[in-house]
Amino acid sequence: MKRDSRLSSVLHALLHMAERGEPLTSEHLAECMGTNPVVVRRTMGLLRNVGLVQSAKGHAGGWSLAADLKAVTLRQLHEALGEPAVFAIGNRNENPDCLVEQSVNAVLDEAFAEAEALLLDRFGAITLADLSAEFSRRHAAHVKERKRNAS
Amino acid sequence: MKRDSRLSSVLHALLHMAERGEPLTSEHLAECMGTNPVVVRRTMGLLRNVGLVQSAKGHAGGWSLAADLKAVTLRQLHEALGEPAVFAIGNRNENPDCLVEQSVNAVLDEAFAEAEALLLDRFGAITLADLSAEFSRRHAAHVKERKRNAS
DNA sequence: GTTTCATGTAACTTCGTTTATTACAATACC
DNA sequence: GGTATTGTAATAAACGAAGTTACATGAAAC
């Protein structure tokens, strides 16, 4: 089953944008994410629709953040991407006549709903600032490690 | 995103098998599930591999339950099906060099792991007997409703 | 023992979805 | 004006899941 990795992609892109501070072109982002500039524009366009980023054409144009890192949650991003299906597993038929299947669906749906609620709740509690902090932590550890190896 | 509905399918099939008590052919099951006999054999074969059902060739052959309804959990079935990916969302690259992406992955993975643990936990607590009971409840309600409408 | 019914399984095809690509219009800056 | 960049439609490619065909195997009926 092929997974939707757009959330992961945009997070990657947004953090790079936050690091840099100047607009990054679709081409640059595409290269750094191993994809295509048009795909980047399509995806980032969804974030622009809800005001999370802005884009500029022409010289020195590109994409830049339009919101405070502390104010953007993963849940917002998930919603901006159109709330794609969370699960790769599901019912065969959502509205079956068969009572057996209806029973199966009801029980499965409940379990899925709980797990989805938990996930979205977690997403709602994680901000871009949290991710940025996680990066800083890893970056510091990385630098320290490199230093140790060099000496 | 296309979902893997095999868990839903096999539950449907297993409950029908439990209702009937006699072996059901792949063809019968396929018809009642809106699919193909070969697909049924492929899928049920996975359950046979772990001893949950048995199959018989020839006249009066077919598929029948080989375990107690109370002893079979959804989690076992999920495992028997090869533990297919639960989520339709995931990381773009599981082992990136980029520290930014590593940070993103780490945070996302943690959230997914929690939600998956919850789901599998729920699956572990639901048996075929529970589903059968749910069906009986719905069946009784259905019969009652039909009676009421007829009078 | 031959016919019929059913599973077992490999190989192939079809289908739907997602992603990538091409192409070109629109716009901003120098 | 020329160049860099986004915006977007249309198309192609890639992929995986499901469906299908074909045939071998085995068990029961007659």
Side-chain angles (χ1 to χ4, degrees):
Chain A
M1 176 79 44
K2 200 151 59 178
R3 289 173 160 181
D4 181 345
S5 59
R6 289 178 306 158
L7 180 60
S8 164
S9 290
V10 300
L11 288 172
H12 188 183
L14 291 172
L15 290 186
H16 272 300
M17 282 158 58
E19 289 294 308
R20 279 296 204 86
E22 63 188 353
L24 299 180
T25 67
S26 305
E27 189 148 10
H28 180 122
L29 290 172
E31 195 171 346
C32 124
M33 291 158 52
T35 180
N36 188 289
V38 177
V39 174
V40 170
R41 285 182 207 129
R42 270 206 291 256
T43 312
M44 295 300 281
L46 296 172
L47 304 191
R48 187 190 45 217
N49 290 345
V50 297
L52 294 175
V53 298
Q54 57 198 177
S55 60
K57 293 178 175 178
H59 273 279
W63 300 89
S64 46
L65 278 167
D68 184 352
L69 288 186
K70 284 200 280 298
V72 182
T73 67
L74 301 200
R75 179 153 192 175
Q76 275 177 275
L77 293 169
H78 176 67
E79 284 165 6
L81 293 174
E83 305 196 59
V86 167
F87 295 107
I89 302 179
N91 296 326
R92 156 168 292 270
N93 179 348
E94 285 305 335
N95 290 101
D97 290 335
C98 174
L99 277 176
V100 170
E101 194 159 12
Q102 285 178 21
S103 310
V104 171
N105 285 359
V107 172
L108 283 181
D109 282 344
E110 192 184 325
F112 284 124
E114 277 187 62
E116 179 160 356
L118 174 68
L119 185 71
L120 294 184
D121 207 59
R122 287 285 182 280
F123 277 3
I126 301 170
T127 66
L128 288 181
D130 295 328
L131 287 171
S132 180
E134 174 69 22
F135 166 68
S136 297
R137 195 154 37 239
R138 283 169 185 258
H139 185 61
H142 180 71
V143 168
K144 196 170 170 187
E145 177 71 11
R146 209 167 41 191
K147 216 175 210 167
R148 206 169 59 82
N149 290 339
S151 68
Chain B
M1 179 75 46
K2 198 150 60 177
R3 289 172 160 179
D4 181 345
S5 59
R6 289 178 307 159
L7 180 59
S8 165
S9 289
V10 300
L11 288 172
H12 187 184
L14 292 172
L15 289 186
H16 273 300
M17 283 159 57
E19 289 293 308
R20 279 296 205 86
E22 63 187 354
L24 299 179
T25 67
S26 305
E27 188 147 11
H28 180 121
L29 290 172
E31 195 171 345
C32 123
M33 292 160 50
T35 179
N36 188 288
V38 178
V39 175
V40 170
R41 283 181 210 132
R42 270 206 290 252
T43 312
M44 296 300 281
L46 296 173
L47 303 193
R48 187 192 43 218
N49 289 347
V50 296
L52 294 174
V53 297
Q54 56 199 176
S55 60
K57 293 179 174 178
H59 277 275
W63 300 89
S64 47
L65 278 167
D68 184 352
L69 288 186
K70 285 201 279 296
V72 182
T73 67
L74 301 200
R75 177 153 191 176
Q76 275 178 275
L77 293 169
H78 175 68
E79 282 165 7
L81 293 174
E83 306 197 57
V86 167
F87 295 106
I89 302 180
N91 296 327
R92 155 168 294 269
N93 181 344
E94 285 304 335
N95 291 100
D97 290 334
C98 173
L99 277 176
V100 170
E101 193 159 12
Q102 286 179 20
S103 310
V104 170
N105 285 0
V107 172
L108 283 181
D109 282 345
E110 192 185 325
F112 284 124
E114 277 187 61
E116 179 160 355
L118 173 67
L119 185 72
L120 294 184
D121 206 60
R122 287 284 180 281
F123 278 2
I126 301 171
T127 66
L128 288 181
D130 295 328
L131 286 172
S132 180
E134 174 68 22
F135 166 68
S136 298
R137 194 156 38 241
R138 284 169 184 258
H139 186 61
H142 180 70
V143 168
K144 198 171 171 185
E145 176 71 12
R146 209 167 42 189
K147 217 176 208 168
R148 206 170 60 81
N149 289 341
S151 68

